[in-house]
Amino acid sequence: EICYDTVTDSLRRGYQVMIFVHSRKDTGQTCGALAEIAAKRGELERYFLTSNDPNSAFTKYTAKAAKSRNRELSNHFKNGMGIHHAGMLRGDRKLSE
């Protein structure tokens, strides 16, 4: 909850957010927890899925993320979040970047 509140405060002020965790497993779990809290509060679209612009990065990379063999990457991308850790394939890391 504290992490979520800090993230949404930064997003509300127009900043991007990076969260650092201790393990590869925590990367996906943290994204999942943030998405779950946002959905429960009805804020997923407000803070994480904000762009309807056809030229936005989200729109531009949606198809590529959907084709990724990394299910965590594609699932979290749908919620407007990206993941990145050393255990990912180079192409997936580049897509996240």
Side-chain angles (χ1 to χ4, degrees):
E1 296 278 331
I2 293 171
C3 179
Y4 180 82
D5 292 338
T6 302
V7 166
T8 54
D9 178 58
S10 293
L11 293 173
R12 194 178 303 114
R13 292 187 285 140
Y15 296 110
Q16 293 182 1
V17 178
M18 291 179 66
I19 301 169
F20 292 86
V21 295
H22 294 286
S23 70
R24 295 173 186 176
K25 185 177 178 181
D26 286 344
T27 304
Q29 289 177 340
T30 301
C31 277
L34 292 172
E36 185 178 321
I37 294 169
K40 283 181 184 177
R41 293 185 183 183
E43 299 175 339
L44 191 60
E45 289 80 15
R46 179 178 179 190
Y47 292 117
F48 299 98
L49 299 173
T50 58
S51 182
N52 293 323
D53 179 1
N55 297 316
S56 72
F58 181 79
T59 303
K60 182 178 178 181
Y61 293 104
T62 297
K64 288 182 182 182
K67 290 179 185 176
S68 172
R69 292 185 310 187
N70 185 324
R71 291 298 106 204
E72 273 192 325
L73 184 142
S74 58
N75 289 337
H76 295 308
F77 188 86
K78 292 175 193 173
N79 290 326
M81 300 179 207
I83 62 169
H84 189 289
H85 58 71
M88 295 171 67
L89 296 173
R90 179 179 298 275
D92 290 334
R93 285 196 315 267
K94 289 186 73 139
L95 179 60
S96 290
E97 293 167 359

